[in-house]
Amino acid sequence: MCTVCGCEKPGYKSDQSSKVKTYPNNSRFHYGQGTAKAHVPGMTQARIIRIERDILGKNAEYAQANRTRFQRQGILALNLVSSPGSGKTTLLVNTVNKLKIKMPVGVIEGDQQTSHDADKIRKTGVSALQVNTGKGCHLDAQMIENSLDYFPHLNQGVLFIENVGNLVCPAGFDLGEAHKVVILSTTEGEDKPLKYPDMFHAADLLIINKMDLLPYVNFNIERCIEYAYQINPDIDVIKLTGTDKQGLKEWTDWIESKRQVILSNQPNILDCDIAITRDMSKT
Ligand SMILES: Nc1nc2c(ncn2[C@@H]2O[C@H](COP(=O)(O)OP(=O)(O)OP(=O)(O)O)[C@@H](O)[C@H]2O)c(=O)[nH]1
Ligand SMILES: [Mg+2]
């Protein structure tokens, strides 16, 4: 009897005499049912939890430092997450082209390899820093902290962080952003919110992208939104076509409304100076 082979399920038959196991048609192995909700070969659930706590705890410290810095500088930081190829960079190129005349804008591009995405952003004249994660599958908060000095003129502007294309790992790593924005394109299937719930739970906005392809693909948009609400009833939803430069108003309005919230909460410079003076007087 165990939690992974399905042998506790009704209908399971083990033929001990021949040592051949037969499984019912609806069998599935579920490795997420232990206390760690994950599996690492040869490792106990308690050890997985300890390691995760250590890593995520350290990440949380960096994330909090980033958040404080963004708050002090009045920067709206948005963490764009999705599976590979959903259209993040294409949308960002058109978005920064629109925003750059109104406010300071910068982009951190996360990919395992290459600087293709940062190169595309730089062509717009907007500062972009490529962060390559190698075998890593997500950006972490320390990588963001290390990047921030590259953007000295972002006060009261927007920092877009395009995460590594992956609907799993980036969900667990707070970067200090104000909001995660999950992008799902119409070619990916409407069931993704149910299959990758952590990501849709962590996000504040769902962008359904590549709406131009809707007539050609089998994608039930109402059902997709219904699934997203099942996972996260508070999530905002915007449908758009990232290649359509004219059709981004709802998205840029959403950004502007979130930026206003950040600006209204920005501590005034006098408060910051007093806090810094107090800090220095301790040393
Ligand atoms: N039809 C259509 N194609 C799009 C749209 N947006 C992006 N694409 C195409 O989709 C492909 C992937 O776009 P990217 O912007 O590179 O996607 P990405 O999410 O940044 O990809 P990764 O960084 O590799 O995860 C490219 O061929 C784009 O031209 C859209 O709105 N409609
Ligand atoms: Mg990209």
Side-chain angles (χ1 to χ4, degrees):
M1 152 89 183
C2 69
T3 57
V4 294
C5 78
C7 61
E8 82 279 24
K9 292 206 174 88
Y12 171 84
K13 289 191 189 79
S14 173
D15 182 346
Q16 291 301 324
S17 55
S18 64
K19 300 283 184 226
V20 175
K21 292 174 181 172
T22 56
Y23 296 95
N25 280 339
N26 61 354
S27 290
R28 66 169 169 162
F29 291 176
H30 195 335
Y31 290 94
Q33 289 181 325
T35 44
K37 304 205 179 311
H39 175 261
V40 179
M43 210 177 268
T44 64
Q45 293 281 297
R47 185 153 156 69
I48 299 173
I49 290 174
R50 261 199 315 279
I51 291 171
E52 273 188 356
R53 269 202 199 127
D54 286 350
I55 294 171
L56 291 178
K58 202 71 212 165
N59 185 73
E61 287 172 24
Y62 282 106
Q64 190 47 46
N66 292 344
R67 190 167 284 114
T68 304
R69 186 164 168 177
F70 293 142
Q71 234 163 24
R72 197 179 300 144
Q73 294 181 243
I75 295 172
L76 170 68
L78 298 177
N79 182 359
L80 272 63
V81 289
S82 81
S83 42
S86 69
K88 299 179 292 301
T89 310
T90 307
L91 176 63
L92 275 180
V93 166
N94 288 327
T95 305
V96 300
N97 260 326
K98 207 168 160 187
L99 296 184
K100 70 184 181 188
I101 45 176
K102 298 186 196 148
M103 61 190 80
V105 183
V107 180
I108 296 175
E109 283 290 349
D111 281 297
Q112 284 197 315
Q113 298 293 348
T114 84
S115 61
H116 290 181
D117 285 1
D119 294 343
K120 286 179 192 164
I121 301 288
R122 285 188 197 118
K123 281 191 190 143
T124 68
V126 164
S127 294
L129 180 67
Q130 183 74 51
V131 177
N132 286 139
T133 57
K135 290 201 182 300
C137 51
H138 58 270
L139 294 171
D140 65 45
Q142 187 178 18
M143 293 172 181
I144 301 306
E145 193 211 32
N146 293 343
S147 307
L148 291 181
D149 288 344
Y150 187 84
F151 300 94
H153 306 300
L154 258 194
N155 283 4
Q156 305 200 326
V158 183
L159 175 65
F160 294 99
I161 304 168
E162 178 180 336
N163 220 312
V164 179
N166 172 356
L167 270 181
V168 184
C169 314
F173 283 79
D174 180 9
L175 304 180
E177 73 274 356
H179 305 282
K180 281 191 178 68
V181 176
V182 62
I183 297 163
L184 178 65
S185 60
T186 53
T187 54
E188 295 172 59
E190 70 268 354
D191 56 357
K192 293 302 167 290
L194 297 184
K195 285 185 170 178
Y196 303 96
D198 289 353
M199 189 58 92
F200 290 82
H201 189 260
D204 294 314
L205 171 64
L206 162 62
I207 291 181
I208 303 181
N209 195 20
K210 306 194 187 179
M211 286 296 291
D212 57 319
L213 298 181
L214 197 57
Y216 313 104
V217 292
N218 190 5
F219 183 89
N220 186 325
I221 202 151
E222 285 78 26
R223 202 172 292 157
C224 177
I225 295 171
E226 191 187 307
Y227 289 155
Y229 285 150
Q230 275 178 34
I231 300 300
N232 181 353
D234 297 325
I235 199 164
D236 294 333
V237 180
I238 294 175
K239 299 173 243 174
L240 54 77
T241 294
T243 47
D244 171 15
K245 296 174 193 161
Q246 314 306 320
L248 303 182
K249 188 170 180 324
E250 204 182 341
W251 159 231
T252 51
D253 284 352
W254 185 92
I255 294 170
E256 184 54 32
S257 71
K258 299 301 177 191
R259 180 169 162 258
Q260 288 308 319
V261 174
I262 298 288
L263 293 181
S264 64
N265 290 328
Q266 187 182 12
N268 82 43
I269 291 172
L270 196 60
D271 291 345
C272 283
D273 284 349
I274 292 167
I276 290 166
T277 315
R278 270 201 206 115
D279 248 20
M280 286 171 67
S281 67
K282 285 185 201 156
T283 56

